Amino acid sequence: MKTLLMAMLCALLTTPFALAQTRNVQDILQTQRALIEESSRRTIGPAIDALADSGLPAIPRVLETWQAKEMWQRAADGLFFAGEETADGLYRLIDFDTGAPVGTYPRSELTQLKPNSGIRALIATALVRFQLTDPDPAKRSAALDSLGRDPEAGLLEPLRASVAAETDPALRARKERMERLMTIAHGASPAERIAAIESLSGDLGVDFRATLNPILATRRTVIGATDPPPANVAATLSPGGEELGVTAAYDLLVAEGRAPALVTKEARDAALTAHIRDGEVGGLPVAALSSETARDTAYDALVVAGLAEPRVGPQDVAEALAGHRFLDVYADPDPDVTAAAAAALGASQTRVAVGQAVDLGLDALSLASIYFLAAIGLAITFGVMGVINMAHGEFIMMGAYTGFVVQQFVTNHTASILLAVPLAFAVTFAAGVALERLVIRWLYHRPLETLLATFGVSIALQQLAKNIFGTQARPLTAPGWLDGAWVINDVVAISYIRIAIFALALLFLGLFLFIMNRTRLGLETRAVTQNPRMAASMGINPDRVNMLTFGLGSGIAGIAGVVIGLFAKVTSEMGGDYIVQSFMTVVVGGVGNIWGTLAGATMIGGFQKGVEWLNPSNTLAAQTYMIVFIIIFIQFRPRGIIALKGRAAGD
Amino acid sequence: MSTLLEVSGVTVSFDGFRAINNLSFQIGEAELRAVIGPNGAGKTTFMDIVTGKTRPDSGHVLYGERSASLIGMSEAKIAQAGIGRKFQKPTVFEDQTVQANLLMALRKPRGPLAVLLYRPSPADLARVAELADEIGLGDQLERPSGELSHGQKQWLEIGMLLAQDPRLLLVDEPAAGMTPAEREKTTAILVEAARTRAVVVVEHDMEFVRRLNCKVTVLHEGAVLAEGSLDHVTRNQDVIDVYLGR
Amino acid sequence: MHRSFIARHPSVLVFLALLALFTLAVTVLSEGFGVGVISTSFVKTLGKTLCLCLVAVAMDLIWGYAGILSLGHFAFFGLGGYMIGMWLMFERTRHIVEGALADAALPPTPEEIEAAIGNQVFGVVGSSDLPLIWSFADSLAIQLALVVLVPGLLALVFGWLAFRARVTGVYLSILTQAMTLGLALYLFQNASGLRGNNGLSGLQNLPGVTAPQSEVSLWFFWASALALALGYLLSAWLVSGKFGSVIRGIRDNEARVRFLGYSVEHYKLAIFTLTACIAGIAGALYYPQAGIINPAEIAPIASIYLAVWVAIGGRGRLYGAVIGTAFVSLLSSWFTGGQAPDLTVAGYRVAWVDWWLVLLGLSFVAVTLYAPRGIAGGLERLAGRRKDTAS
């Protein structure tokens, strides 16, 4: 990098340059010396402009040096040089014009120029025109970034000039887009600007919308009833309507000096307080002033006595409003430009709305996947076996903590997650089997008792986790390749982790269907749940099948815990956040049917996202509404979306 | 004899399986009727329809002199209209006394408020004692019904049905699991009950049906296969085919 | 009629006599009116325990007798607390505000007072307007009515929807849990108009009362004892007659009761709503003694603890619910309050604060498995055995 610059400088130096003969950098710097030394963001502008406009070939190097705080001033004569520290703690100064070293000096004989961040930003803007044609693509890209932040009018021409010579296709596309955007903002003629607007009409980019918005910005103003209207009026407002309330309209009149200010309650009360004489004011005893009307009466008495400004009554307000017109005026004076901008923005917004709907759909889908993942273990233990396990949420928590513990030992995140998944399954499978053996098997066909006993287990497990891991949230870190998001356009994006969860949900659905319909265990499970005695007589051991099935459902909860831990905080109470939702998912979907669980998860996820979209500030409300919705939903489909009918459903 | 219950053209299916297929059935004011049929003939479903537990897909169920439709009425309303039902398994309230069981069944206002303020009058207690005597539990009034024998529970349940004073009694396999002596007593109770009201007995046991000595309806695949005296239907070739298998 | 009822149920009389004795003993030993052996804070703990016993009696009615495991009754309890809390907070703030404005040059207008109260009460959630639901907060009579009406109405609407759809058993439990969760989440929002997660506070101060807390605590203790006595009496009367027969019948065999001609849904709705009202009253007495109520109190876990208390005490027996609640909740506050000495097991120091809930959870599992009748069932078996040996 540095050698490249030096080479450039040498090349420039050997080229005879007409302008360089007459003026050099040091001259300009000396001319602007006072401003440079003052180093204030407010006053530095002319100094930077003088440098940038000089056309001298060394200017980019000067500006970069200055920006990097490597410009030094020699105390003896006030000349400016580029400086670099040598090995022995001295500073070697280099002349800007010749590129030749002028000697080494101790620090005490030099002053470093330290431009503040505001000045550095101004320098960066000044540098843009040089950087746009810089041979380094990274610098050209940075220049475009800088332009994006601050598209200054003066840079339009340099940008246009740089487009033709651009060799990098991606940068060329960016330059062309930037040229269009800057033409919209700073184009010389309305026709040129309108053409630029129309060429991008309907574009989804945030930059495009950000360019249009200032053009369409309006200023609210008021004129007399007979005054001629200003150019490019956006709308005429009538006070008292939705857009402009009576009070706001009158405040506008007061602000513009077109009407006397209202006497506020505070002003009224202050006037009353100031004129209390012998416990009386305005002919009323102070004690009687405990109502608005009494205070108004007393104040009016003061007005009559000439002690206070008269109040502005509703009549006065109405008259003042009637005598004026209230307008919203576009900042841009050209109606054709604003019309084109409004049309283009409208087209963009329509497409943005579609994009947002898609984005919302994706959001809902990923939430549904999470619910589905949390509920699928329950679909086995509750849906298939009919066992209510209120400790299911705690199994999810155990899985998540297993992941956390694994990450304490295995630092590679990919490896740790790959290890955590089977380990979490093993841990919660074992826990499930233990729970089934010790508690649940004594309580088959007594669902309420099962519910109670597993509540006890849930309370104990939660507190146990709190004792072991403490109350603070523990992080579970996702592998790096799951960071980031798949950005489809400026509106629609979906994070990789959500895609992974969605894929996992599908995988688990497949796994569930495979186990239940294609394996011996699935067949035996179905046999045992439908008719345990018959199954037993056919040589199936119901005890073993129940144990394994329950373990399987619990194990899946553990895996779900690892996955949930990746995007939510792992706490001892996390199980409680999922248990109600999981049960709702299974119940709403229809007990005993995995497709029902899928439908339930989709519906609940979709509904919740829908409510959040309508009321984005309040995710708690979304959950409340969801529960109300479920209660009402059950009125119409008491057995869930996909209901088993007839005797098989049992009563 | 006027018709008390008329079921006509009723069809019910569960997931495509037709449990009841265009069934028609009638019973008069004071009549004893036995309904027989192989497993899955639709006997229990038929009772479910009449008592309001299952709603038919099509057809009519008309009841009483005014031929009111029972379809769409709640179970409780149908019971209040005078249709009593006894389940296959004896279902009495085991942790309550025989007396409490009978008092609960006694024909009285059923609303929560009326029940809350209800105190048994001497007449009510006398009626309960009389019923208990009828079912042979006169000296067991204060016993928790959970302690009764299987047969006694069946009788208590029949007693509760009688306490309801229904006009139509549906009895599902009353003799299941009873000793011969108990069966005889059950037969007597049912025959006695049928003097003043309609009684429909669903039963597997041919011997028991024979002892009831009444008209028999044979159900098969959700429809009436034959109807008449027991001897008449047992000679019917279709019935023989169904029972013995073709 | 009542005399015969008491005569037929001597255990009710015993319970009432014991409760009266207990109330008297606490009063005599208290700081406020007695010798000062029992601290004021412990009087409050005992008073709160009586309120918990009352809601447990309601829970026993709905669960032990009617067989509906409601996980929503602590939500009704909390609602009762919120309703009385609104009045307490509003009126107390009004007293403070009026005191502060008394020195102003002009006597305050009603609008100024209301604005100042709004500022005081809702400043914490960044608002200054009194929400519409506070319209009646200045009227004790109306708020007292709401203590019963709000939980009752919620129970009526929820119960009507749930029972009508014939949601039963565990499904109903889960649905009530969802209702509780929904309510708690709703109250957590600032927009609920009940100060979001800050809840209502300062409820121990009765507006316009200058008596010391040592006396006020006793007033509430007496009121709680009276409410428990009346609630117990009502519940005992309710379950002793035919109504009790019917709801126990519903618990044991719902379909059978239906075929006897009883509208099961109406009975369930009646008992659900009634117990919700009792829970509301219990809550309205509890929270002025606790001093603060916030949505965390209503979280589903609270209703689960309620079920745990009743189960450990022995459901289906009213005194069981009272014993279980008093026993477990007092033990809980002893253990979690840090008063219990730590144990040292094999060199590991066991802090009860940490391990009490583990113990409670596991003992609950044990009770469910091995002693489904709870403490009361055990007592009855003991009494039965003694009777057997005596005869």
Short mmCIF file of all heavy atoms in Angstrom, two decimals, chain A residues 1 4 8 64 130-143 166-168 171 175:
data_model
loop_
_atom_site.label_atom_id
_atom_site.label_comp_id
_atom_site.label_asym_id
_atom_site.label_seq_id
_atom_site.Cartn_x
_atom_site.Cartn_y
_atom_site.Cartn_z
N MET A 1 0.85 -1.22 0.00
CA MET A 1 0.00 0.00 0.00
C MET A 1 0.87 1.25 0.00
O MET A 1 0.74 2.13 -0.84
CB MET A 1 -0.87 -0.03 1.27
CG MET A 1 -1.81 1.13 1.42
SD MET A 1 -3.25 0.94 0.39
CE MET A 1 -3.74 2.64 0.24
N LEU A 4 3.07 1.45 -3.00
CA LEU A 4 2.25 1.85 -4.15
C LEU A 4 2.12 3.37 -4.19
O LEU A 4 2.30 4.01 -5.24
CB LEU A 4 0.89 1.20 -4.02
CG LEU A 4 -0.04 1.34 -5.22
CD1 LEU A 4 0.27 0.24 -6.23
CD2 LEU A 4 -1.49 1.28 -4.80
N MET A 8 3.45 6.05 -6.93
CA MET A 8 2.57 7.05 -7.56
C MET A 8 3.17 8.43 -7.46
O MET A 8 3.20 9.19 -8.42
CB MET A 8 1.23 7.05 -6.84
CG MET A 8 0.15 6.24 -7.50
SD MET A 8 -1.30 6.34 -6.46
CE MET A 8 -1.78 8.02 -6.80
N GLU A 64 -5.20 12.51 2.94
CA GLU A 64 -5.14 11.25 3.67
C GLU A 64 -4.21 11.35 4.87
O GLU A 64 -4.49 10.83 5.94
CB GLU A 64 -4.68 10.11 2.74
CG GLU A 64 -5.81 9.58 1.87
CD GLU A 64 -5.31 8.64 0.78
OE1 GLU A 64 -4.12 8.29 0.78
OE2 GLU A 64 -6.14 8.26 -0.07
N PHE A 130 -11.41 11.96 -5.32
CA PHE A 130 -10.14 11.35 -5.73
C PHE A 130 -10.22 9.83 -5.63
O PHE A 130 -9.72 9.11 -6.47
CB PHE A 130 -9.00 11.85 -4.84
CG PHE A 130 -8.90 13.35 -4.84
CD1 PHE A 130 -9.31 14.09 -3.75
CD2 PHE A 130 -8.43 14.02 -5.97
CE1 PHE A 130 -9.24 15.46 -3.76
CE2 PHE A 130 -8.35 15.41 -5.97
CZ PHE A 130 -8.76 16.14 -4.87
N GLN A 131 -10.90 9.39 -4.60
CA GLN A 131 -10.95 7.95 -4.36
C GLN A 131 -11.81 7.22 -5.39
O GLN A 131 -11.64 6.04 -5.62
CB GLN A 131 -11.50 7.67 -2.95
CG GLN A 131 -10.50 8.02 -1.87
CD GLN A 131 -11.13 8.00 -0.49
OE1 GLN A 131 -12.33 8.11 -0.36
NE2 GLN A 131 -10.30 7.88 0.52
N LEU A 132 -12.76 7.97 -5.99
CA LEU A 132 -13.64 7.31 -6.95
C LEU A 132 -12.85 6.75 -8.12
O LEU A 132 -13.29 5.81 -8.79
CB LEU A 132 -14.69 8.31 -7.47
CG LEU A 132 -15.87 8.55 -6.53
CD1 LEU A 132 -16.72 9.69 -7.04
CD2 LEU A 132 -16.72 7.29 -6.41
N THR A 133 -11.70 7.33 -8.40
CA THR A 133 -10.88 6.85 -9.51
C THR A 133 -9.61 6.19 -8.99
O THR A 133 -8.69 5.93 -9.76
CB THR A 133 -10.51 8.02 -10.43
OG1 THR A 133 -9.96 9.07 -9.64
CG2 THR A 133 -11.72 8.52 -11.18
N ASP A 134 -9.57 5.92 -7.71
CA ASP A 134 -8.39 5.29 -7.13
C ASP A 134 -8.18 3.91 -7.75
O ASP A 134 -9.15 3.20 -8.00
CB ASP A 134 -8.59 5.14 -5.61
CG ASP A 134 -7.30 4.90 -4.89
OD1 ASP A 134 -6.77 3.77 -5.00
OD2 ASP A 134 -6.82 5.84 -4.22
N PRO A 135 -6.94 3.53 -8.01
CA PRO A 135 -6.73 2.20 -8.58
C PRO A 135 -7.16 1.07 -7.62
O PRO A 135 -7.43 -0.05 -8.07
CB PRO A 135 -5.22 2.14 -8.83
CG PRO A 135 -4.63 3.39 -8.34
CD PRO A 135 -5.70 4.31 -7.90
N ASP A 136 -7.20 1.34 -6.34
CA ASP A 136 -7.56 0.29 -5.37
C ASP A 136 -9.09 0.14 -5.29
O ASP A 136 -9.78 1.07 -4.89
CB ASP A 136 -7.00 0.68 -4.00
CG ASP A 136 -7.30 -0.38 -2.95
OD1 ASP A 136 -7.91 -1.41 -3.32
OD2 ASP A 136 -6.93 -0.17 -1.78
N PRO A 137 -9.66 -1.04 -5.67
CA PRO A 137 -11.14 -1.20 -5.65
C PRO A 137 -11.71 -1.00 -4.24
O PRO A 137 -12.83 -0.48 -4.11
CB PRO A 137 -11.35 -2.64 -6.10
CG PRO A 137 -10.06 -3.07 -6.72
CD PRO A 137 -8.98 -2.24 -6.12
N ALA A 138 -10.96 -1.37 -3.22
CA ALA A 138 -11.47 -1.21 -1.87
C ALA A 138 -11.70 0.26 -1.56
O ALA A 138 -12.69 0.64 -0.93
CB ALA A 138 -10.49 -1.82 -0.87
N LYS A 139 -10.77 1.11 -2.05
CA LYS A 139 -10.94 2.54 -1.81
C LYS A 139 -12.13 3.09 -2.59
O LYS A 139 -12.86 3.95 -2.11
CB LYS A 139 -9.66 3.29 -2.22
CG LYS A 139 -8.57 3.18 -1.19
CD LYS A 139 -7.68 4.39 -1.25
CE LYS A 139 -6.72 4.37 -0.08
NZ LYS A 139 -5.78 5.49 -0.14
N ARG A 140 -12.29 2.58 -3.81
CA ARG A 140 -13.44 3.03 -4.60
C ARG A 140 -14.74 2.64 -3.90
O ARG A 140 -15.70 3.40 -3.84
CB ARG A 140 -13.39 2.43 -6.01
CG ARG A 140 -12.14 2.85 -6.80
CD ARG A 140 -12.37 2.79 -8.29
NE ARG A 140 -12.66 1.47 -8.82
CZ ARG A 140 -11.72 0.55 -9.11
NH1 ARG A 140 -10.44 0.83 -8.89
NH2 ARG A 140 -12.07 -0.61 -9.59
N SER A 141 -14.73 1.42 -3.35
CA SER A 141 -15.92 0.96 -2.64
C SER A 141 -16.19 1.83 -1.40
O SER A 141 -17.32 2.24 -1.13
CB SER A 141 -15.73 -0.50 -2.24
OG SER A 141 -16.80 -0.93 -1.46
N ALA A 142 -15.10 2.13 -0.69
CA ALA A 142 -15.25 2.98 0.50
C ALA A 142 -15.78 4.35 0.11
O ALA A 142 -16.59 4.95 0.83
CB ALA A 142 -13.92 3.10 1.22
N ALA A 143 -15.30 4.85 -1.05
CA ALA A 143 -15.76 6.16 -1.50
C ALA A 143 -17.27 6.13 -1.76
O ALA A 143 -17.99 7.07 -1.42
CB ALA A 143 -15.01 6.56 -2.77
N GLU A 166 -14.78 2.84 -14.98
CA GLU A 166 -14.85 1.78 -13.97
C GLU A 166 -14.76 0.41 -14.63
O GLU A 166 -15.50 0.11 -15.57
CB GLU A 166 -16.17 1.91 -13.17
CG GLU A 166 -16.35 0.89 -12.08
CD GLU A 166 -15.23 0.94 -11.05
OE1 GLU A 166 -15.05 1.98 -10.40
OE2 GLU A 166 -14.52 -0.09 -10.90
N THR A 167 -13.86 -0.41 -14.13
CA THR A 167 -13.66 -1.73 -14.74
C THR A 167 -14.37 -2.83 -13.96
O THR A 167 -14.83 -3.82 -14.53
CB THR A 167 -12.16 -2.05 -14.79
OG1 THR A 167 -11.60 -1.79 -13.50
CG2 THR A 167 -11.46 -1.22 -15.85
N ASP A 168 -14.47 -2.65 -12.65
CA ASP A 168 -15.11 -3.67 -11.82
C ASP A 168 -16.63 -3.63 -12.04
O ASP A 168 -17.26 -2.59 -11.81
CB ASP A 168 -14.78 -3.38 -10.34
CG ASP A 168 -15.31 -4.45 -9.42
OD1 ASP A 168 -16.51 -4.84 -9.57
OD2 ASP A 168 -14.56 -4.89 -8.54
N LEU A 171 -18.76 -2.69 -8.89
CA LEU A 171 -18.60 -1.29 -8.52
C LEU A 171 -19.24 -0.38 -9.56
O LEU A 171 -19.84 0.64 -9.22
CB LEU A 171 -17.11 -0.94 -8.39
CG LEU A 171 -16.46 -1.42 -7.09
CD1 LEU A 171 -14.97 -1.12 -7.12
CD2 LEU A 171 -17.10 -0.71 -5.90
N LYS A 175 -21.90 2.39 -8.85
CA LYS A 175 -21.70 3.79 -9.26
C LYS A 175 -22.88 4.29 -10.07
O LYS A 175 -23.36 5.41 -9.89
CB LYS A 175 -20.41 3.91 -10.08
CG LYS A 175 -19.15 3.94 -9.22
CD LYS A 175 -17.92 4.22 -10.06
CE LYS A 175 -16.70 4.35 -9.17
NZ LYS A 175 -15.46 4.50 -9.97
#
